[in-house]
Amino acid sequence: MLRVLGVDPGLTRCGIGVVDIDPTRRASLVHVSVVRTNPATPLEQRVLAIAEGVAALLDEHRPDVVALERVFAQHNVRTVMGTAQASGVVLHAAAARGLGVALHTPSEVKAAVTGHGAADKKQVTAMVQRILRLDAPPTPADAADALALAICHGWRRGAVSALELGGGDALTPAQRAWRAAEKSAATPRLDG
Amino acid sequence: MLRVLGVDPGLTRCGIGVVDIDPTRRASLVHVSVVRTNPATPLEQRVLAIAEGVAALLDEHRPDVVALERVFAQHNVRTVMGTAQASGVVLHAAAARGLGVALHTPSEVKAAVTGHGAADKKQVTAMVQRILRLDAPPTPADAADALALAICHGWRRGAVSALELGGGDALTPAQRAWRAAEKSAATPRLDG
């Protein structure tokens, strides 16, 4: 069993999702939440609040690894700086606990959970709900990306292990269920 | 007396300078160093090393305030992300100790120490040497910007205090020395 803590970094909203992935790639929800800070608060206080929120969840859930969204400078400059500052304290919190941090791009995450890298937020949320067998879309909605990151990392690692073990055609029931869900998620109905 | 710890943030080289500024604006060197990390090291380990280096200097020198370079996304994208991640852990380290963080742009810093916002690195280094009454340019050279940041912040705060106290025309000897040095720094000789 691999426990992954995924972080969708941000200063105003920092999404955090914890997922357990078993050797058959079955993923289960452990925790999901969003650490929020008020933009009117001094920057150093906001960064401290993010750092303390992430540290508390790392200590509570003791993941094996942290998965963090790789930040690009393609967005709004102010937002990107805040996102990178938040990712800095996440990297620090993980390393201070001896944990490695895996960086994944948004398109890698989308491709992993929906099968295509240009999926929209609604498709990602719907697939996260199916993969984790939730009765409703994960709430808060902001944190669906953090869960998707955690799932993405667990599966990418899992996929490598499966190949090493000579797996591939021999799908487990969970893997078959995933393939069916993946196929279903690609139908236009999810865009409506 | 105001003690300012200035940080020129970066992952490969993070410059740190500590300066004491007295009520007459006289600035004295307390400490200068550069925390370096190897680009081949995993990102989270580099961020941790920066965080630990900054924390140790904050605890050793106990500044009243931290002055940090405001990061813009105008430079190389990869570099800016690393710079913002480093600034995130500096913000965290300061706030965890109850310290405020003042952000200054590079042109504000250059204008404060050389009199013009487009000054080059050599002019900044030369002025920092004069202002702090050093026998040689500050070493390591990378940290001159961190010292300039600390001086800039101390003087901007000092300037406000002087105005509040009704000062202005009544220059202290240190202020006259500064004005003379400032004038001298503007000569072409420093560019050669």
Side-chain angles (χ1 to χ4, degrees):
Chain A
M1 183 77 80
L2 181 75
R3 177 164 290 187
V4 186
L5 185 142
V7 182
D8 181 21
L11 282 184
T12 304
R13 291 185 302 277
C14 187
I16 299 174
V18 184
V19 170
D20 280 342
I21 318 258
D22 76 12
T24 70
R25 289 167 57 107
R26 182 180 162 98
S28 304
L29 176 68
V30 175
H31 171 88
V32 62
S33 62
V34 174
V35 180
R36 296 168 200 275
T37 72
N38 184 338
T41 305
L43 178 61
E44 66 273 19
Q45 296 296 330
R46 300 180 72 190
V47 169
L48 177 62
I50 300 292
E52 290 180 342
V54 170
L57 290 170
L58 285 171
D59 291 338
E60 182 180 348
H61 297 292
R62 303 190 167 275
D64 299 301
V65 62
V66 172
L68 179 63
E69 189 173 295
R70 191 184 289 278
V71 183
F72 288 108
Q74 70 209 9
H75 315 288
N76 174 286
V77 170
R78 270 188 92 91
T79 306
V80 164
M81 293 299 105
T83 303
Q85 287 162 345
S87 81
V89 299
V90 172
L91 288 157
H92 174 204
R97 288 161 180 78
L99 298 174
V101 179
L103 301 174
H104 296 288
T105 65
S107 59
E108 282 171 353
V109 174
K110 288 171 182 174
V113 300
T114 73
H116 48 114
D120 64 19
K121 201 169 181 66
K122 201 164 181 176
Q123 289 172 302
V124 170
T125 301
M127 277 311 303
V128 167
Q129 179 184 348
R130 286 169 194 234
I131 292 163
L132 297 177
R133 304 171 308 284
L134 307 177
D135 293 333
T139 57
D142 288 321
D145 284 343
L147 290 170
L149 257 161
I151 294 165
C152 167
H153 182 70
W155 278 353
R156 286 169 73 101
R157 269 191 47 155
V160 171
S161 304
L163 285 171
E164 284 168 348
L165 292 168
D169 288 337
L171 294 183
T172 65
Q175 285 169 332
R176 279 194 297 273
W178 149 246
R179 290 228 172 148
E182 192 176 39
K183 213 168 174 181
S184 157
T187 62
R189 161 171 75 79
L190 281 171
D191 296 320
Chain B
M1 185 76 81
L2 182 74
R3 177 164 291 187
V4 187
L5 185 143
V7 182
D8 181 21
L11 282 184
T12 303
R13 290 184 302 275
C14 186
I16 299 174
V18 184
V19 169
D20 280 343
I21 319 260
D22 77 12
T24 70
R25 290 166 57 104
R26 184 181 160 95
S28 305
L29 176 69
V30 175
H31 171 87
V32 61
S33 62
V34 174
V35 180
R36 297 168 199 274
T37 72
N38 184 339
T41 305
L43 178 61
E44 66 274 18
Q45 296 296 332
R46 301 180 70 190
V47 169
L48 177 63
I50 299 293
E52 290 181 343
V54 170
L57 291 169
L58 285 172
D59 291 339
E60 181 180 349
H61 297 293
R62 302 191 167 275
D64 299 301
V65 63
V66 171
L68 179 64
E69 189 173 295
R70 191 185 289 279
V71 183
F72 288 107
Q74 70 211 7
H75 314 288
N76 174 286
V77 170
R78 269 188 93 92
T79 306
V80 165
M81 293 299 105
T83 303
Q85 287 163 344
S87 81
V89 299
V90 172
L91 288 157
H92 174 206
R97 287 159 179 79
L99 297 174
V101 179
L103 300 174
H104 297 288
T105 64
S107 58
E108 282 171 352
V109 173
K110 288 172 183 173
V113 302
T114 73
H116 49 116
D120 64 20
K121 202 169 181 69
K122 202 164 180 176
Q123 289 173 302
V124 170
T125 300
M127 279 309 304
V128 166
Q129 179 185 347
R130 286 168 192 235
I131 292 164
L132 297 177
R133 305 172 307 283
L134 307 175
D135 294 332
T139 55
D142 288 323
D145 284 343
L147 290 170
L149 256 161
I151 294 166
C152 167
H153 182 70
W155 277 353
R156 287 170 73 102
R157 269 190 50 156
V160 172
S161 305
L163 285 171
E164 284 168 349
L165 291 169
D169 288 336
L171 294 182
T172 65
Q175 285 169 330
R176 279 195 297 272
W178 151 244
R179 290 227 173 151
E182 190 175 38
K183 215 168 171 179
S184 155
T187 61
R189 162 171 73 81
L190 282 169
D191 295 321

